[in-house]
Amino acid sequence: MTSHLLALDQGTSSSRSIVFDRDGRIRAMAQREFRQIYPQPGWVEHDPLEIWETQLATAREALAQAGLAASELAAIGITNQRETTLLWERASGRPIANAIVWQDRRTEPLCTRWREQGLADAVRDATGLVIDPYFSASKIAWLLDHVPGARAQAERGELAFGTVDSWLLWQLTGGRVHATDTTNASRTMLFDIDRGAWSEPLLAALDIPRALLPTVQPSASHFGATEPALLGGAVPVCGIAGDQQAALFGQAGFQAGLAKNTYGTGCFLLMHTGAQRQTSTHGLITTAAAHLGGGAPRQYALEGSVFIGGAVVQWLRDGLHAIRGSGEVQALAESVPDAGGVVVVPAFTGLGAPYWRPEASGAIVGLTRGSTAAHIARAALESIAFQSAALLDAMSRDAVAAGGQPVSELRVDGGACVNDLLMQFQADLLGIPVVRPQVIETTALGAACLAGLGCGLYAGTDELAAQWQAERRFLPTLPRERAAERMARWERAVRQAVAP
């Protein structure tokens, strides 16, 4: 068997493809950004065809860079921005509208109505989630009610719903396969994570036709084979996972108690809780971890989502024009010894966990006559760490309440984890080591590892755990009372951001 794996990593702002060898080393990588569409304040959309075209182009580029033919790939793994919602015609494959992105907040009035109808407990009991525009269900309902004729088409079985993984799989297989995996299904607000099946009561309550939905498979399983013309030969797709569960898997987070934080457009902190579902009492959600199938028990995780993480750096670049490129932010932030009392709360699309305040708006607190762009840049960077620290504190309290131990180290990945200033500040706030792996592309690595398991390239997770290696450990240096003072200042700023 050939020993190379191709990971398709479809993210919020770009599509990437990475070729890994059997030892988890990167052999080639290609990336293309695509448009972010903002029709109205609070609305975020993507062009589904642009997602597909950029993903296919990067797959071809990565294979060419690696000097590999399709026949030399063992399998393909897909990982994707989660919750982003697409509807397309089954007969033509044509999208009926732009994709509604996970960040989009247009469906808050609908979510409010569902909460007022008393559906919150039913949603949490079945799905582990809270009712929020973040998840796919309200986006599906909005498209059905606002695209002319869509609901009638859906009820006739003429439309297909998918998160981005399903859309890519449909395209890769020439429309032969309409499927998703457990992790992506668990983000729709329609999937019973204990039964491992779509929830008929929720579908009825939310008025979403069952005929729209894809088949759900284990994350490591055979989903289908690509159309030979796309990559020069048919390649099996044997792994799919939503980006955050894929990152947890790529960080060798296979056992209860292991936690990772991905610093991407948003920040996503997941802690594996094993085969036992754990319910948070501190504002976190319960979600499905990657499922290996083959009789293996279902796996769960606690998750907290920060809506604006690395995107705050894009705001510094594109909104404030404080920097010309994202790579300049560390130097600008380090040009001052501290943030000078400035606190940035980047609630541009509301606040996610553990606050769940969709009405919150962004705020800059603590400005004085002496505040400069450098102070704001440092405060913006620190906001990523503050939000993540609030999540980890909630996660540790949940773990202790369940009879476990607080998180003892945090594994990190994603684009912003290369920023040493941010990682050190994160360790200082948390009071535990922050560990950066040698391969920071853990989302793509997780998809590749799942594909490798799904096609039989790897015997099991022990083999994958042995491959994981740390590149640097950031140890806390800030006294705990100082860290507590900084967190208290952050919480005061959050209260101002959510004030009416």
Side-chain angles (χ1 to χ4, degrees):
M1 178 186 288
T2 180
S3 59
H4 286 87
L5 298 159
L6 174 63
L8 306 183
D9 183 0
Q10 205 301 302
T12 306
S13 57
S14 69
S15 298
R16 291 188 301 170
S17 294
I18 303 180
V19 175
F20 291 92
D21 65 16
R22 193 183 190 286
D23 296 324
R25 293 186 294 251
I26 294 174
R27 292 307 185 195
M29 177 166 58
Q31 179 171 350
R32 292 194 183 187
E33 292 190 359
F34 55 88
R35 288 179 302 143
Q36 306 296 303
I37 302 167
Y38 306 105
Q40 297 183 31
W43 292 30
V44 190
E45 298 179 356
H46 291 157
D47 179 343
L49 295 177
E50 197 174 354
I51 286 176
W52 164 238
E53 289 160 3
T54 54
Q55 192 64 72
L56 178 60
T58 60
R60 289 169 170 167
E61 287 174 27
L63 285 178
Q65 279 182 34
L68 293 175
S71 60
E72 296 176 275
L73 290 175
I76 290 173
I78 298 173
T79 184
N80 55 285
Q81 52 166 317
R82 304 172 304 168
E83 299 94 19
T84 294
T85 297
L86 302 91
L87 294 181
W88 64 92
E89 294 175 346
R90 291 183 181 275
S92 68
R94 182 185 67 84
I96 68 166
N98 279 338
I100 301 182
V101 179
W102 59 272
Q103 298 162 312
D104 190 286
R105 308 303 292 176
R106 75 183 71 177
T107 61
E108 175 54 32
L110 177 57
C111 289
T112 298
R113 189 162 82 238
W114 286 346
R115 293 185 206 108
E116 290 172 348
Q117 290 171 355
L119 294 172
D121 287 345
V123 166
R124 181 179 285 278
D125 290 347
T127 71
L129 308 179
V130 298
I131 296 178
D132 193 84
Y134 178 29
F135 306 109
S136 305
S138 64
K139 304 178 195 300
I140 299 171
W142 191 95
L143 287 168
L144 293 177
D145 292 336
H146 288 81
V147 176
R151 185 168 287 281
Q153 282 184 287
E155 289 169 351
R156 292 194 299 268
E158 296 170 3
L159 297 183
F161 153 73
T163 41
V164 172
D165 58 304
S166 295
W167 170 244
L168 294 179
L169 183 64
W170 177 280
Q171 296 290 341
L172 287 166
T173 60
R176 295 190 309 276
V177 181
H178 183 212
T180 189
D181 89 298
T182 305
T183 66
N184 279 294
S186 77
R187 311 301 296 183
T188 60
M189 221 174 78
L190 299 171
F191 188 72
D192 188 317
I193 57 173
D194 293 327
R195 292 177 50 245
W198 298 113
S199 169
E200 298 295 344
L202 284 181
L203 290 171
L206 306 183
D207 196 19
I208 293 176
R210 175 69 177 80
L212 279 171
L213 304 178
T215 301
V216 183
Q217 297 182 205
S219 309
S221 61
H222 188 277
F223 288 87
T226 64
E227 282 286 293
L230 294 175
L231 299 174
V235 184
V237 178
C238 293
I240 293 179
D243 52 10
Q244 302 316 316
Q245 286 96 334
L248 182 64
F249 203 82
Q251 287 275 32
F254 310 136
Q255 297 176 342
L258 285 169
K260 71 89 200 173
N261 196 22
T262 296
Y263 298 81
T265 303
C267 287
F268 302 90
L269 183 60
L270 270 73
M271 181 178 72
H272 202 293
T273 59
Q276 288 298 116
R277 172 176 172 171
Q278 201 176 110
T279 299
S280 172
T281 57
H282 296 97
L284 305 180
I285 58 175
T286 303
T287 196
H291 183 213
L292 302 185
R298 301 190 183 282
Q299 302 291 303
Y300 299 92
L302 284 176
E303 174 173 337
S305 304
V306 170
F307 295 151
I308 300 296
V312 75
V313 178
Q314 295 173 328
W315 169 72
L316 288 172
R317 181 191 66 192
D318 303 333
L320 290 190
H321 302 290
I323 53 176
R324 287 173 297 180
S326 299
E328 297 177 9
V329 68
Q330 180 166 339
L332 180 60
E334 286 183 330
S335 69
V336 289
D338 54 45
V342 177
V343 180
V344 171
V345 182
F348 305 144
T349 55
L351 284 171
Y355 307 106
W356 294 110
R357 298 296 295 267
E359 79 283 6
S361 56
I364 303 177
V365 177
L367 291 172
T368 67
R369 182 65 181 82
S371 300
T372 67
H375 292 108
I376 294 172
R378 187 165 185 127
L381 206 58
E382 290 179 349
S383 75
I384 303 172
F386 279 126
Q387 293 176 95
S388 298
L391 288 180
L392 195 83
D393 177 63
M395 198 165 278
S396 289
R397 281 186 282 154
D398 279 328
V400 171
Q405 297 296 316
V407 177
S408 59
E409 73 171 26
L410 181 65
R411 295 184 177 184
V412 297
D413 53 70
C417 86
V418 301
N419 189 304
D420 291 349
L421 178 68
L422 173 60
M423 293 299 98
Q424 183 58 57
F425 187 63
Q426 188 72 86
D428 286 342
L429 284 181
L430 297 177
I432 60 174
V434 167
V435 186
R436 187 166 63 199
Q438 288 198 349
V439 177
I440 64 167
E441 304 293 349
T442 53
T443 302
L445 178 60
C449 290
L450 286 166
L453 286 169
C455 73
L457 182 62
Y458 301 121
T461 55
D462 287 349
E463 189 176 353
L464 297 172
Q467 289 182 7
W468 186 90
Q469 292 183 330
E471 179 263 330
R472 180 168 172 183
R473 294 172 66 85
F474 295 86
L475 303 178
T477 59
L478 191 67
R480 297 313 300 145
E481 61 272 14
R482 290 279 310 283
E485 289 168 5
R486 298 298 305 273
M487 284 303 301
R489 186 183 303 167
W490 161 259
E491 294 295 344
R492 284 196 298 273
V494 167
R495 288 195 291 274
Q496 290 180 253
V498 301

